[in-house]
């Protein structure tokens, strides 16, 4: 089973530009949510004390199939279900490869979005303010 340190190390290993933060410390029930960013945009987050909902960015067209195929995929924790999925790391005990693959796929989604905007001359700073 993946633990917090495994998940953290894996997310950080995806790119030297991946940044981790605890951005919700002002909120009682979200103070322990660790978020991973690429170019200032989230691609994965989870509560370090509870891995029952590791939330990752996902291709919207893939979500129904993933939810049907894996019983440990559910709605995201406090995220838009059109773009995010939740993974129960406890229930996915024997499928670490699938979990890592979904995290790996979430990272380029953010990079692709940023690339599309950059070729049209929109900076990532203007994206953050919207």
């Amino acid at each position: 089973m993946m633990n917090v340190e495994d998940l953290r190390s894996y997310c950080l290993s995806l790119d030297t530009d991946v940044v981790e933060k605890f951005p919700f410390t002002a909120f009682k029930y979200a103070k322990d949510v660790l978020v991973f960013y690429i170019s200032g945009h989230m691609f994965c987050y989870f509560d370090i004390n509870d891995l029952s909902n590791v939330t990752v960015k996902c291709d919207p067209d893939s979500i129904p199939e993933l939810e049907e195929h894996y019983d440990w995929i559910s709605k995201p924790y406090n995220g838009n279900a059109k773009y995010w999925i939740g993974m129960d790391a406890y229930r996915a005990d024997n499928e670490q490869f699938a979990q890592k693959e979904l995290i790996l796929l979430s990272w380029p989604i953010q990079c692709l979005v940023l690339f599309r905007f950059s070729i049209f001359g929109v900076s990532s700073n203007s994206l953050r303010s919207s």
Side-chain angles (χ1 to χ4, degrees):
M1 175 171 70
M2 289 183 76
N3 61 36
V4 170
E5 203 47 51
D6 292 337
L7 281 169
R8 179 181 172 272
S9 295
Y10 183 71
C11 289
L12 291 171
S13 75
L14 296 175
D15 192 283
T16 56
D17 291 332
V18 171
V19 176
E20 64 180 330
K21 296 180 186 177
F22 285 97
F24 307 115
T25 55
F27 302 99
K28 180 179 179 181
Y29 296 107
K31 64 181 174 57
D32 293 327
V33 172
L34 180 58
V35 180
F36 295 89
Y37 300 84
I38 185 71
S39 297
H41 295 273
M42 295 183 207
F43 69 89
C44 179
Y45 60 91
F46 53 87
D47 185 315
I48 61 171
N49 301 308
D50 179 10
L51 298 181
S52 64
N53 201 318
V54 176
T55 304
V56 296
K57 192 81 168 193
C58 192
D59 171 27
D61 295 332
S62 302
I63 293 174
E65 182 181 337
L66 290 169
E67 289 175 333
E68 186 178 308
H69 186 72
Y70 298 108
D71 67 347
W72 43 266
I73 291 182
S74 62
K75 299 300 179 203
Y77 172 77
N78 204 20
N80 185 334
K82 182 176 178 181
Y83 301 104
W84 296 84
I85 59 171
M87 300 186 303
D88 186 334
Y90 303 124
R91 289 180 44 219
D93 193 19
N94 297 323
E95 300 191 57
Q96 279 189 32
F97 176 76
Q99 288 180 70
K100 286 183 175 182
E101 183 177 13
L102 290 170
I103 293 169
L104 177 63
L105 292 173
S106 72
W107 172 78
I109 290 170
Q110 285 303 78
C111 292
L112 182 59
V113 168
L114 295 171
F115 174 74
R116 284 181 184 159
F117 280 105
S118 69
I119 62 172
F120 293 107
V122 178
S123 74
S124 62
N125 288 338
S126 64
L127 290 175
R128 277 186 228 132
S129 62
S130 47

